[in-house]
Amino acid sequence: MPIKSSLLFRLFFLVSSLAWLGCSSEPTPPAEKKASNATTAEPSKPTESKPAKPFVLGDMIEPFDPPTLEKLLAAHEWEDRPVVDSMQRMRAHQAKLPSPQLTAKEALELRNDSSENNEKILDALGRLAPEDGEGVDYDAEITLMAQGDLKTTNPLLMSSTIDFDCNSFTGFGLFGFDRNFDKFASKDAVVSWQTSEDRMIDKVVLRDDLTWSDGKPITAHDLEFTFQVILTDSVIIPAVRQGTDQLRYVKAYGDHTVVFFHKEALATNDTNLGFPVLPKHIYEKTIPEDPTMTRSEAHSRLEDHPVVGGGYTLTKRVRGQEFVLTRRESS
């Protein structure tokens, strides 16, 4: 079935050349002083490089033997958690608002030179399209200026706001937040979400019609694999590891049920569930040879032609100039 998206058009990002012309990210270091007495200076010793850590998938995970799903279900009482269609929730919210003061065309022509004009622009351009799609131009394009280049399309390596903006369109995830920052599971990806009465376990059932952009199914095994990658010592991604390392284990029970086991019953446990997800069928072949995910030829190809699970896919990338995201029409 078609993958839902909050935008109904192709999206272009044009990178501003100002960030790249005559601007170096680091100052050029001053020339080093020569030794005043070459005859007495000690010769420099070659730097000894540390041996690369061996790749052992999930070697940072403490030993854990997850129970069978049958035992798990029988041993706990379960609380249903919210599974939300975010588009419907936003439409319900916007239905209570007064009509915008400007049309979209008028808002685009208005200069953003005051707080009042800014509010008018946001009010007019922040409205969802009609639910039936009436009046929507599916071939429309938007060009956005960005103060820098896209550094990576790999969701585990994101480090800049542009990386995160790109991933918000291309990445796959199970959870989101509403306007009050309350957590929910996305109906676009999830059938049900339950938490055990002791707050130590979360169980999520995925939809069975989800696919990566190469046509392969998205499954619970992708989440278990990605959790293991994040907690692999030779994979250097400390930012993504924050929070994910508070999970005791992530277990796939078949293709569509994934269970998150927590280390402690904390109020913040929900925030540890939303780590980025990689397609296992792609990266289980490439990461053992290149845990950095940056040096191998295979990962170089994936940078410009990533396999993604979101509503958009990368269709063009000219480094230092632009990248183009195009809406996925079907799964």
Side-chain angles (χ1 to χ4, degrees), residues 20-71:
W20 299 97
L21 294 179
C23 297
S24 173
S25 58
E26 297 182 1
T28 303
E32 295 182 358
K33 279 189 176 182
K34 293 183 179 180
S36 58
N37 189 338
T39 58
T40 59
E42 294 184 4
S44 59
K45 298 179 180 179
T47 303
E48 295 183 3
S49 59
K50 296 182 179 179
K53 297 176 182 177
F55 177 84
V56 180
L57 183 65
D59 58 353
M60 299 177 69
I61 303 171
E62 296 178 2
F64 177 65
D65 185 18
T68 65
L69 185 59
E70 290 74 20
K71 290 182 178 179

Side-chain angles (χ1 to χ4, degrees), residues 86-100 122-130 179:
S86 57
M87 297 283 280
Q88 288 185 359
R89 177 166 290 191
M90 179 59 77
R91 284 197 172 92
H93 168 72
Q94 292 188 345
K96 302 175 184 178
L97 301 178
S99 299
L122 290 175
D123 186 42
L125 300 184
R127 301 295 176 125
L128 293 178
R179 295 173 59 86

Side-chain angles (χ1 to χ4, degrees), residues 301-315:
R301 288 196 302 269
L302 285 168
E303 266 297 324
D304 291 338
H305 305 283
V307 176
V308 300
Y312 288 76
T313 186
L314 182 73
T315 53

Side-chain angles (χ1 to χ4, degrees), residues 7-20:
L7 301 179
L8 303 175
F9 39 73
R10 299 180 66 201
L11 181 67
F12 281 65
F13 283 80
L14 181 64
V15 177
S16 171
S17 60
L18 294 179
W20 299 97

Side-chain angles (χ1 to χ4, degrees), residues 195-221:
T195 300
S196 62
E197 84 289 343
D198 61 2
R199 321 308 290 179
M200 291 292 289
I201 305 168
D202 282 278
K203 178 173 69 70
V204 176
V205 177
L206 306 181
R207 285 172 49 161
D208 61 6
D209 58 353
L210 304 170
T211 65
W212 297 104
S213 57
D214 63 356
K216 300 292 185 181
I218 298 174
T219 72
H221 301 288

Side-chain angles (χ1 to χ4, degrees), residues 281-301:
H281 67 283
I282 297 293
Y283 284 91
E284 67 179 346
K285 305 171 186 175
T286 63
I287 293 181
E289 298 297 324
D290 175 25
T292 70
M293 294 182 283
T294 60
R295 298 173 181 170
S296 67
E297 182 179 344
H299 286 137
S300 294
R301 288 196 302 269

